[in-house]
Amino acid sequence: MAGITIVFDFDRTIIDGDSDNLVVTRLGLTDLFNELYSSLPWNSLMDTLMVELQSRGRTMRDIAECLEGAALHPRIVAAIKSAHSAGCDLRIISDANQFFIETILEHHGVLGCFSTINTNPTFVDGEGRLRILPYHNESSPHGCNLCPSNMCKGLVIDQIRASKTEKNDFFIYIGDGRGDFCPTLRLEEGDHVMPRKLYPLSDRINSNQMLVKAKIHEWSDGNELEKILLQLVDIK
């Protein structure tokens, strides 16, 4: 399976909900979020909220415990482990952030299944606060009008493909949101895209099927995701 690269989005794909919204709602930041939402880019907004959160006395452990409550379908966990055991190259491209993703995946025992996680980086500053940076440096715009300024997932797909040496490699891309349409357009014949049914990526693909070269396989829940994915990589 060394020639198969499986790329997952994270929010509403690996986990059933949204990791940012989970932290905002459970740790009491909804009012401030609503106040700042229209004035800050999402990535900057989440960074600002993390600073505020810890100014209220919340700790990194509080954030981690909140994230460990994220819903993750057991069949998606099983699919990840099966594909990894079969030798597939599993990766994540997500507009969430490093700390949120790694905390959730480690809690569910699948962090080590992924070779690379491309997402907004995080660090803890000198005052012990979680800080979130943009994946792409906004001083050097990526130039894609389909993607937010902090991350072009299509560019990441191009970089991954360029790093592959086997001519017979193919990609499976699994996602749900508007930001997953750009990487879908970078897929080639022989690749596969798995959009979540009734979510923005599915709507965009269905409205622009002539632009999509990859084979399309819709899924609605963890059971369908596992079944389709394991069929594509021919794991019996």
Side-chain angles (χ1 to χ4, degrees):
M1 300 301 172
I4 303 176
T5 301
I6 306 173
V7 181
F8 291 82
D9 176 39
F10 187 72
D11 293 318
R12 293 173 299 275
T13 299
I14 289 181
I15 66 171
D16 200 44
D18 182 281
S19 56
D20 288 344
N21 289 339
L22 178 69
V23 171
V24 168
T25 55
R26 291 192 180 178
L27 297 184
L29 292 168
T30 302
D31 289 344
L32 183 58
F33 174 89
N34 291 336
E35 178 184 336
L36 298 177
Y37 176 73
S38 61
S39 60
L40 289 174
W42 187 275
N43 196 69
S44 300
L45 172 58
M46 288 306 300
D47 178 61
T48 300
L49 292 176
M50 292 304 98
V51 171
E52 172 62 23
L53 186 64
Q54 288 167 276
S55 75
R56 298 180 182 183
R58 293 288 193 171
T59 65
M60 293 288 291
R61 186 61 230 160
D62 291 330
I63 300 172
E65 287 178 355
C66 175
L67 292 164
E68 289 167 358
L72 207 164
H73 196 289
R75 300 321 307 166
I76 292 181
V77 173
I80 289 169
K81 290 181 176 179
S82 294
H84 175 257
S85 295
C88 298
D89 180 13
L90 274 61
R91 300 173 181 246
I92 290 173
I93 307 178
S94 169
D95 200 7
N97 68 73
Q98 178 186 357
F99 180 75
F100 286 14
I101 293 173
E102 290 183 354
T103 298
I104 293 169
L105 294 181
E106 184 172 22
H107 179 70
H108 289 277
V110 291
L111 177 59
C113 293
F114 294 91
S115 65
T116 307
I117 299 175
N118 297 99
T119 189
N120 298 301
T122 56
F123 70 99
V124 179
D125 69 13
E127 298 180 42
R129 302 175 302 188
L130 178 66
R131 305 303 303 272
I132 303 171
L133 299 176
Y135 179 80
H136 286 129
N137 190 333
E138 296 184 19
S139 65
S140 302
H142 54 64
C144 175
N145 59 13
L146 292 175
C147 296
S149 60
N150 64 291
M151 186 175 209
C152 173
K153 293 185 177 185
L155 182 58
V156 181
I157 285 288
D158 289 346
Q159 292 168 343
I160 295 172
R161 193 183 295 278
S163 71
K164 298 292 182 178
T165 57
E166 297 294 330
K167 292 183 179 180
N168 293 327
D169 283 0
F170 71 87
F171 280 67
I172 302 170
Y173 188 94
I174 310 170
D176 73 285
R178 288 185 296 272
D180 297 309
F181 187 58
C182 177
T184 295
L185 296 181
R186 309 294 180 104
L187 300 175
E188 301 175 354
E189 292 184 10
D191 293 334
H192 302 265
V193 60
M194 294 176 54
R196 193 169 186 178
K197 293 177 184 176
L198 304 179
Y199 280 73
L201 176 60
S202 176
D203 293 341
R204 285 200 170 191
I205 288 175
N206 289 332
S207 299
N208 299 275
Q209 288 197 20
M210 296 298 293
L211 300 178
V212 179
K213 298 177 182 178
K215 294 180 182 178
I216 302 164
H217 314 266
E218 290 190 322
W219 60 280
S220 60
D221 59 22
N223 291 315
E224 283 193 340
L225 185 152
E226 180 189 36
K227 180 180 178 181
I228 295 167
L229 180 61
L230 299 192
Q231 285 177 344
L232 291 177
V233 300
D234 197 24
I235 297 175
K236 306 298 185 184

